[in-house]
Amino acid sequence: MNFELTEEHLAVQKAAREFAQTELLPGVIDRDETQTFPTEQVKKMGELGFMGMMVDQQYGGSGMDAVSYVLAMEELSKIDASASVAMSVNNSLVCWGLEMYGNEAQKQKYLIRLAKGEIIGAFCLSEPEAGSDATSQQTTAQDMGDHYLINGTKNWITNGSSASVYLVIAQTHPEKKHKGINCLIVERGMPGFIVGKKENKLGIRGSDTHSLMFTDVKVPKENRIGEDGFGFNFAMNTLNGGRIGIAAQALGIASGAYELALQYSKERKAFGKEISRHQAIAFKLADMATKIEAARLLCLQAAYLKDAHKDFAHASAMAKLFASQVAMEVTVEAVQIHGGYGFVKEFHVERLMRDAKITQIYEGTSEIQKIVISRGILK
Ligand code: COS
């Protein structure tokens, strides 16, 4: 067993760390306050190859492994989880799904530009009444011969208004239940497709989360991914990889908060010495560091299994379950270590605490991860 990162991994980590400091940190508090999508920053992330990290170079990607992806996600999420969720969705839900299951024409038409970050994508599974219970899709894709007609509403869609390409999951054959679901590639601007209201959120406020409405949206059959009825399996397989991205995001939020708390505790004095030299604080730091290291190992293990083409569904669910819990625990402690300063925006930790919560909810709640893990154990 080798725990060493390669030179290439270290270079990706360093590049992501520098990018986060120079490009994401300036303005991050303001973007959170004003709910502003980091448009320019995401464009630069595309130019640096962060938007299609694992996509083969022939399709415009960086051709890197999932371990590199985890390292980059951690570094970017330490500073700006709104930018990193745009990256995560584009990389693991949209690009990976298209590269793995799309046909050559779909890859040429959509994947190349998505992987280069020239455009970004969205993944549309959740509905007003189908979040965790994802097989209960109410959005329909009626088979009209050479095209489908999509009708319905999607909710909580990350990159909702900034995306150009949307992977929409919809029911074609209700009698076949989840075996009748399809995934269709929908383009922004197709008649009948409306981007609905933007959600005013607790955290990741720079990320644009929208509902989407579809009324008789005509989508050519060539935009279906895979065979008729493959859509639900497509969504599940894609989410397994997405969960590695969100686990790494949670890890980054935790380690970002921890680094700020560590620094603060070495500067702030109380009762005649730095607070880090009080055991009450030192023990908190010890607990935080240990949990973060455990979360990191779970994230890297899930990425390693994916890179080795082994089954990673169980490992990615464990990584997401644990890392998101660590993100909540560590950010709360980081605020506590900062005392009153932790409660104000300038010190960043209150934002990280707010951002942490969503990692226990999206791309499968913690309860869903426990379903995936327990089914794996018991099968
Ligand atoms: N990986 C791959 N395939 C999976 C899977 C996973 N983690 N979980 C379920 N599947 C497959 C099953 O193998 C089954 O396919 P087949 O019939 O071809 O064998 C199909 O999906 C349906 O599974 P199941 O019968 O277990 O359906 P259930 O409704 O009991 O449970 C869960 C499915 C709860 C696991 C699923 O609905 C889920 O993951 N929900 C959360 C969705 C989510 O993450 N939403 C967030 C929105 S995206 S931001």
Side-chain angles (χ1 to χ4, degrees), residues 322-357:
F322 189 75
S324 61
Q325 188 179 320
V326 167
M328 271 322 293
E329 291 169 1
V330 166
T331 54
V332 167
E333 287 295 59
V335 170
Q336 190 68 15
I337 290 172
H338 279 76
Y341 293 102
F343 208 60
V344 295
K345 296 195 182 288
E346 286 75 12
F347 285 77
H348 297 285
V349 284
E350 65 82 33
R351 185 186 71 257
L352 291 166
M353 185 180 81
R354 288 185 285 108
D355 289 350
K357 185 60 204 169

Side-chain angles (χ1 to χ4, degrees), residues 294-309:
R296 188 175 289 121
L297 290 173
L298 282 178
C299 289
L300 290 171
Q301 175 174 254
Y304 158 78
L305 290 171
K306 184 164 182 278
D307 288 334
H309 305 290

Side-chain angles (χ1 to χ4, degrees), residues 126 132 178-179 232-233 236-237 239-240 243 363-364 375:
S126 294
S132 293
H178 72 270
K179 299 270 189 210
F232 192 76
N233 291 92
M236 290 296 109
N237 295 342
L239 276 168
N240 287 334
R243 288 167 185 162
E363 298 199 24
R375 283 183 180 175

Side-chain angles (χ1 to χ4, degrees), residues 107-378:
K107 290 179 193 176
Q108 292 296 333
K109 188 167 179 190
Y110 300 109
L111 178 59
I112 295 175
R113 295 185 64 208
L114 286 161
K116 287 182 177 172
E118 292 171 3
I119 54 173
I120 62 172
F123 180 83
C124 314
L125 174 67
S126 294
E127 298 187 348
E129 299 194 36
S132 293
D133 185 9
T135 55
S136 302
Q137 292 288 306
Q138 298 301 308
T139 299
T140 54
Q142 200 184 345
D143 189 337
M144 305 299 284
D146 65 341
H147 66 274
Y148 289 97
L149 273 188
I150 307 186
N151 281 285
T153 303
K154 293 289 174 182
N155 254 25
W156 319 120
I157 305 304
T158 301
N159 300 338
S161 67
S162 46
S164 302
V165 172
Y166 299 75
L167 303 187
V168 179
I169 314 295
Q171 180 59 268
T172 300
H173 312 283
E175 70 288 357
K176 295 187 185 168
K177 305 212 165 111
H178 72 270
K179 299 270 189 210
I181 291 173
N182 280 310
C183 176
L184 304 176
I185 306 170
V186 176
E187 292 176 26
R188 184 73 183 269
M190 282 182 166
F193 172 27
I194 293 172
V195 175
K197 97 171 158 56
K198 178 173 170 168
E199 304 295 347
N200 183 1
K201 309 188 297 291
L202 171 74
I204 54 160
R205 288 169 57 79
S207 163
D208 59 328
T209 312
H210 285 257
S211 53
L212 308 175
M213 274 79 80
F214 301 87
T215 310
D216 287 338
V217 179
K218 191 174 168 183
V219 181
K221 240 185 194 160
E222 68 226 34
N223 280 25
R224 187 185 72 213
I225 299 182
E227 294 299 310
D228 186 22
F230 179 61
F232 192 76
N233 291 92
F234 170 85
M236 290 296 109
N237 295 342
T238 306
L239 276 168
N240 287 334
R243 288 167 185 162
I244 299 179
I246 300 306
Q249 180 189 46
L251 167 66
I253 293 170
S255 54
Y258 163 76
E259 286 174 12
L260 290 169
L262 177 63
Q263 178 76 18
Y264 180 84
S265 72
K266 290 200 245 177
E267 290 163 4
R268 171 77 178 181
K269 290 199 173 115
F271 304 102
K273 56 183 177 185
E274 292 79 17
I275 60 170
S276 60
R277 294 173 62 212
H278 291 290
Q279 201 176 61
I281 302 298
F283 277 17
K284 280 190 197 299
L285 293 168
D287 281 338
M288 291 156 84
T290 306
K291 287 175 186 174
I292 289 169
E293 200 55 38
R296 188 175 289 121
L297 290 173
L298 282 178
C299 289
L300 290 171
Q301 175 174 254
Y304 158 78
L305 290 171
K306 184 164 182 278
D307 288 334
H309 305 290
K310 296 186 178 175
D311 185 358
F312 61 91
H314 193 82
S316 69
M318 282 186 172
K320 183 180 182 291
L321 174 67
F322 189 75
S324 61
Q325 188 179 320
V326 167
M328 271 322 293
E329 291 169 1
V330 166
T331 54
V332 167
E333 287 295 59
V335 170
Q336 190 68 15
I337 290 172
H338 279 76
Y341 293 102
F343 208 60
V344 295
K345 296 195 182 288
E346 286 75 12
F347 285 77
H348 297 285
V349 284
E350 65 82 33
R351 185 186 71 257
L352 291 166
M353 185 180 81
R354 288 185 285 108
D355 289 350
K357 185 60 204 169
I358 193 60
T359 65
Q360 293 186 305
I361 299 174
Y362 59 18
E363 298 199 24
T365 60
S366 295
E367 292 74 16
I368 289 293
Q369 305 315 318
K370 289 181 194 180
I371 291 179
V372 175
I373 296 164
S374 58
R375 283 183 180 175
I377 294 168
L378 297 169

